[in-house]
């Protein structure tokens, strides 16, 4: 910027248009070892990044509003495999940010946070999370397992972002009624945890993430060919090598849920000629059998008309009936 050229950008003008948080976030995004470019367009891009961070944290707040860490938290050893993986990944992030703060490497903080929120959370964990936190019974174990991870990430990430986004962090903290500190500024920075067997867990799940990317390509091709619309309309067949089959079995997870498909078949049979083939695995996509459940939006052969015009699958019907029975029982007890 040059006063003589008249291309000065006043921080006050930026604060009025975008807010001071955007200025702070922009500072963390630049390499101060070299000349730094700045323009209202660049600051606008940082504003979009801020919106992504904020919306992600809002999602975590909304889906932990009925979670009490004193009574609902699930121990690490009792989490599902995918929840353990995300917990380990997040603690790797905590360690990275701690080291970056110690070295005043703010750009590393920016890149690490944005990468975790964009790739690990938004594009993976939170993508299929809706099939759990929106669908399963409110106090079900699987929902509490995921909420445990949500809450841990929400609290610790808020603390980690406090030096950079203090106003946003305090706003988030106002919703965390179970935290003992009145203000996030009074809270200690989180300490990264390590877990038994975490390297093996990370290795297995990183291998799955490669397979997931390949499966997404097969689903995209099926959409382009008008075989399916949304991925939940798909019946995905995985023609797996023995090694891939062993991996999927070892993950001990609902692979169909992770891939966001309604039906899944894993076989070691030879793939047909029209399958999308990779080195160790091939995929074919067909339309799932059954009808769409109005509640979970999956295509299921058990979906049928229920009472009160509810067109839902057996799994959702069981959840709804149990919740209704619980509400009735609670009503009688209150009387």
């Amino acid at each position: 910027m040059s006063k003589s050229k008249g291309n000065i950008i006043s921080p006050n003008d930026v604060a009025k248009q975008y807010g001071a948080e955007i200025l702070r976030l922009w500072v963390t995004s630049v390499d101060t070892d070299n000349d730094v470019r700045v323009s209202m367009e660049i600051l606008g891009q940082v504003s979009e990044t801020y919106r992504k961070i904020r919306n992600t944290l809002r999602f975590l707040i909304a889906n932990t509003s009925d979670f009490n860490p004193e009574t609902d938290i699930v121990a690490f050893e009792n989490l599902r495999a995918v929840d353990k993986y995300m917990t380990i990944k997040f603690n790797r992030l905590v360690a990275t940010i701690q080291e970056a703060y110690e070295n005043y490497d703010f750009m590393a903080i920016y890149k690490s946070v944005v990468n975790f929120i964009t790739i690990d959370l938004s594009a993976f964990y939170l993508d299929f999370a809706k099939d759990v936190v929106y669908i399963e019974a409110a106090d079900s174990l699987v929902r509490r397992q995921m909420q445990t991870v949500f809450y841990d990430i929400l609290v610790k990430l808020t603390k980690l972002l406090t030096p950079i986004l203090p106003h946003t962090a305090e706003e988030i903290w106002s919703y965390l009624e179970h935290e003992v500190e009145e203000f996030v500024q009074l809270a200690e920075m989180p300490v990264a945890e390590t877990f038994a067997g975490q390297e093996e867990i990370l290795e297995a799940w990183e291998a799955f993430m490669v397979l997931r990317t390949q499966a997404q390509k097969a689903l995209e091709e099926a959409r382009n060919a008008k075989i399916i619309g949304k991925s939940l309309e798909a019946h995905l067949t995985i023609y797996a090598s023995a090694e891939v089959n062993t991996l999927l079995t070892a993950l001990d997870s609902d692979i169909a849920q992770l891939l966001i498909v309604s039906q899944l078949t894993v076989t070691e049979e030879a793939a047909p000629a029209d399958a999308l083939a990779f080195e160790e695995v091939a995929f074919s996509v067909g339309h799932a059998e059954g009808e769409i459940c109005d509640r979970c939006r999956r295509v299921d052969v058990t979906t049928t008309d229920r009472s009160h015009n509810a067109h839902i699958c057996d799994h959702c019907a069981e959840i709804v009936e149990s919740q209704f029975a619980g509400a009735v029982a609670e009503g009688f007890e209150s009387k």
Side-chain angles (χ1 to χ4, degrees):
M1 293 188 292
S2 169
K3 288 183 68 176
S4 62
K5 292 182 179 180
N7 62 354
I8 294 291
I9 296 177
S10 169
N12 288 333
D13 293 339
V14 177
K16 288 177 183 178
Q17 180 170 344
Y18 293 115
E21 300 281 76
I22 303 305
L23 271 178
R24 297 189 185 95
L25 190 60
W26 169 74
V27 169
T28 67
S29 72
V30 298
D31 181 6
T32 53
D33 289 336
N34 299 296
D35 289 342
V36 175
R37 292 185 177 275
V38 62
S39 66
M40 295 306 288
E41 181 181 357
I42 291 172
L43 291 163
Q45 293 170 356
V46 174
S47 178
E48 289 300 315
T49 300
Y50 169 79
R51 186 176 291 108
K52 182 68 173 178
I53 295 171
R54 184 181 180 86
N55 287 342
T56 300
L57 293 171
R58 285 180 63 185
F59 180 88
L60 296 178
I61 291 171
N63 288 286
T64 52
S65 59
D66 64 339
F67 181 81
N68 185 341
E70 296 180 3
T71 57
D72 299 330
I73 198 167
V74 179
F76 177 81
E77 56 269 20
N78 296 325
L79 294 175
R80 297 179 305 163
V82 66
D83 302 322
K84 290 180 180 179
Y85 166 64
M86 190 53 53
T87 298
I88 293 168
K89 286 281 287 187
F90 177 64
N91 277 275
R92 286 288 184 90
L93 174 71
V94 173
T96 297
I97 293 178
Q98 286 173 330
E99 182 180 359
Y101 270 129
E102 291 172 1
N103 294 323
Y104 301 98
D105 188 356
F106 301 113
M107 187 169 66
I109 297 171
Y110 177 86
K111 288 183 176 180
S112 299
V113 169
V114 171
N115 184 75
F116 179 78
I117 285 178
T118 303
I119 298 176
D120 297 310
L121 283 184
S122 298
F124 175 58
Y125 195 59
L126 302 187
D127 198 24
F128 71 85
K130 304 177 188 69
D131 295 334
V132 176
V133 295
Y134 293 173
I135 303 301
E136 300 299 328
D139 59 351
S140 64
L141 176 60
V142 64
R143 189 167 182 271
R144 294 305 190 200
Q145 288 168 325
M146 183 161 270
Q147 284 182 312
T148 295
V149 182
F150 279 12
Y151 191 81
D152 186 53
I153 292 174
L154 174 60
V155 172
K156 292 180 179 177
L157 191 55
T158 301
K159 293 177 180 179
L160 291 168
L161 290 174
T162 299
I164 299 169
L165 302 174
H167 298 302
T168 303
E170 288 296 354
E171 183 183 358
I172 295 168
W173 203 255
S174 68
Y175 292 94
L176 304 180
E177 59 185 31
H178 299 291
E179 297 304 305
V180 296
E181 298 89 356
E182 184 177 1
F183 302 104
V184 68
Q185 299 289 344
L186 301 177
E188 296 291 338
M189 278 290 190
V191 177
E193 299 179 69
T194 56
F195 304 91
Q198 68 175 30
E199 296 303 326
E200 291 79 5
I201 293 173
L202 283 171
E203 182 179 355
W205 279 95
E206 295 302 336
F208 170 76
M209 295 303 287
V210 173
L211 182 142
R212 176 177 173 269
T213 300
Q214 296 167 340
Q216 287 176 324
K217 185 174 182 180
L219 292 168
E220 182 63 29
E221 289 191 0
R223 275 192 291 270
N224 293 337
K226 308 299 183 183
I227 297 172
I228 59 171
K230 298 179 180 179
S231 65
L232 276 177
E233 297 177 12
H235 179 168
L236 178 67
T237 301
I238 302 178
Y239 300 92
S241 66
E243 182 179 353
V244 171
N245 200 9
T246 300
L247 168 68
L248 295 176
T249 302
L251 290 178
D252 189 26
S253 300
D254 185 345
I255 303 300
Q257 183 182 84
L258 300 180
L259 297 177
I260 317 181
V261 297
S262 288
Q263 294 164 11
L264 176 71
T265 300
V266 180
T267 178
E268 291 188 27
E269 296 177 0
D274 60 349
L276 178 61
F278 297 90
E279 185 175 349
E280 294 287 338
V281 66
F283 303 89
S284 64
V285 180
H287 200 285
E289 296 181 359
E291 297 185 46
I292 297 175
C293 171
D294 291 337
R295 185 172 182 272
C296 68
R297 308 307 300 171
R298 290 182 175 277
V299 179
D300 196 299
V301 294
T302 68
T303 300
T304 187
D305 285 324
R306 314 279 172 167
S307 59
H308 307 293
N309 297 319
H311 199 68
I312 58 178
C313 65
D314 283 354
H315 179 65
C316 286
E318 183 180 346
I319 295 171
V320 172
E321 288 169 4
S322 66
Q323 289 179 326
F324 178 76
V328 170
E330 185 178 340
F332 278 117
E333 289 176 4
S334 66
K335 292 180 179 179

